[in-house]
Amino acid sequence: MDGVAGQRRDAWCLETWRAASNTRNSRERAMRHVDLLLARSDIGSLDEFARLFFEIVGIESFQERQSDHYVEGRYFTGAKDAMTYTVMLADDEDHADLPYWVQVSSGGQGISASEVADALASRCVREHRLSAARIEDFGRVNEKRFDYSSSS
């Protein structure tokens, strides 16, 4: 879907997620990490995306790390305000339109990873022309995708 119809669908998806989340307040408060998938058409590599993402978040110093558990054997990580951001390739056929995976994790000091991730994804879409979706239960059979739109 394109245009207004697509924006309405995206807004509906996000509102549906928010409504479902409100019924699980205790689970939301306990949430320690949130999975976001993102993309922008002019970004062609994980390195480019990581630089852009950490610039958006306001993290000047981030690290590239090696691990066989990640696509290409590497990922990037950085922290700010009791939040840790891990940036990696998603390599997920179900979400091929959003190749970059960001895990937003809370340090547990009363800061909700859910609220931070929601505000961050909305800002990425509105101010930086990224496509973004929150994936609940990422990688599981029952995972759910909630797309952000520029009107959310």
Side-chain angles (χ1 to χ4, degrees), residues 1-33:
M1 280 183 216
D2 293 316
V4 174
Q7 289 177 353
R8 285 186 190 135
R9 184 218 48 203
D10 292 346
W12 178 84
C13 285
L14 187 56
E15 288 306 314
T16 301
W17 172 81
R18 285 180 179 151
S21 294
N22 287 337
T23 64
R24 299 183 307 244
N25 282 336
S26 61
R27 182 175 174 216
E28 277 295 304
R29 277 188 227 105
M31 187 172 286
R32 308 290 266 168
H33 77 269

Side-chain angles (χ1 to χ4, degrees), residues 5 9 22 47 55 78 89 95 115 143:
R9 184 218 48 203
N22 287 337
D47 298 77
E55 180 180 312
L89 287 173
H95 310 290
E115 291 174 12
E143 74 179 18

Side-chain angles (χ1 to χ4, degrees), residues 34-36 38 49 53 85-88 100-104:
V34 174
D35 295 305
L36 300 174
L38 300 116
F49 179 79
F53 179 79
Y85 302 89
T86 305
V87 177
M88 60 219 114
Y100 304 107
W101 175 15
V102 175
Q103 190 170 78
V104 180

